[in-house]
Amino acid sequence: MRIIKSLIKVIINFFKSFKFRLKGIIFFFLLFILSNILNSDFSYMGNSSSDFTSTIIKVFWSVILFQIIKLLIVYISLGYIFDLIYGYALDYINSRREKIISNRYIYLFLFLSFISIFLWSIINNPQLYVDNFSSKFNFLNSFHNIMTDYFSPWIFLIIFFVINITALILALLAVIKKNKFLFTDVIRFFKNLDYKNRKFQISMILIFVLAVAIINLKLTPQSDQKNIIIISSDSVRPDRLSGNGYFRETTPNIDRYLDKSLQYRGVTTTVPRTFPAWISILTSSTPMYNEISHMFPRSRERSEKIPSVCDYLKDMGRLLNF
């Protein structure tokens, strides 16, 4: 009970320090405005129509507004969390120094974190930016190519984690310093556990065995699967499959495969266009290599012979239907 009261006091202390949290909210709100200015476009494959845009806004204005509000809440929440961490980190540093570091440095930390994760994303997922950069900002197209050709995404990811893990550790030290009673109770709780008790040891072993069994049950693929079945459906979100929890029974046949299959949820397309995406799937090559980067490639690009999974299966005598 005392631990719960201590946690409540910690939360109250966080809200009492709200005056230091506005910098992150302001920074992320400006990012939100900028992202909407750069990406509020109803064009499709480079084509746009004012009549189509006005019709979409008129019919789906409530859905659009709801999505914008959700995104705004996410941006503001992230701004508050990052500012919370950086604010407490600076508090801890200032408590050990004679010269006080201004809270304005939070803007610098926010900018460094944003730019490092942004550059990592550009290099790691170039397909997300290629359309926007090439169609709206030609000079950014060259920058995009330089980043993806000459820099490793790990450089910027390491910078991001160094900044934020350091800030998080300092912030935790600041919280511990302000709320020693909470952590004293937690430490006392673990010290009072009887680790030599046989019931406790058996319980830990059972929990470990159960966790291993659950992981193996979900992640171990079927060893007797011999066929490759490719099912393709354009512009269908995975969360609209009933096998993934959608409330309507939309895909009963696919659901039976999902029940016996291993599903990868973190897959990102190389290019958000059907034809180049299919080329990348079948050849395991990116558009920068196979030169198929849009829906209507030239005859020279179409005539290029790129080894694909179809060739491999055909050589093995396993290609039955294509």
Side-chain angles (χ1 to χ4, degrees), residues 275-276 279 283 287-306:
F275 188 74
I279 295 297
T283 63
M288 291 183 181
Y289 173 78
N290 58 46
E291 297 185 354
I292 307 295
S293 57
H294 52 80
M295 290 290 291
F296 309 105
R298 294 166 296 184
S299 58
R300 178 182 64 81
E301 295 161 343
R302 294 197 306 271
S303 61
E304 287 290 332
K305 183 62 177 175
I306 306 171

Side-chain angles (χ1 to χ4, degrees), residues 191-208:
K191 279 185 175 181
N192 291 334
L193 286 175
D194 188 2
Y195 296 102
K196 296 181 179 180
N197 187 287
R198 184 168 295 179
K199 291 182 179 179
F200 177 83
Q201 294 173 349
I202 293 173
S203 299
M204 292 297 102
I205 293 172
L206 289 175
I207 291 173
F208 176 76

Side-chain angles (χ1 to χ4, degrees), residues 97-160:
R97 287 169 53 94
E98 294 182 2
K99 187 177 180 180
I100 302 299
I101 300 176
S102 172
N103 278 315
R104 292 179 181 177
Y105 278 90
I106 291 176
Y107 285 122
L108 176 62
F109 298 145
L110 288 167
F111 176 77
L112 290 175
S113 290
F114 164 73
I115 202 68
S116 58
I117 204 67
F118 178 62
L119 293 176
W120 168 82
S121 180
I122 286 177
I123 301 169
N124 202 53
N125 301 295
Q127 70 278 9
L128 299 178
Y129 304 91
V130 63
D131 280 351
N132 211 342
F133 282 4
S134 60
S135 62
K136 295 181 180 179
F137 307 98
N138 290 328
F139 72 94
L140 285 178
N141 199 28
S142 300
F143 170 74
H144 192 202
N145 293 333
I146 292 172
M147 294 302 298
T148 53
D149 290 347
Y150 297 104
F151 290 91
S152 169
W154 286 102
I155 297 173
F156 302 102
L157 193 63
I158 289 171
I159 293 172
F160 175 82

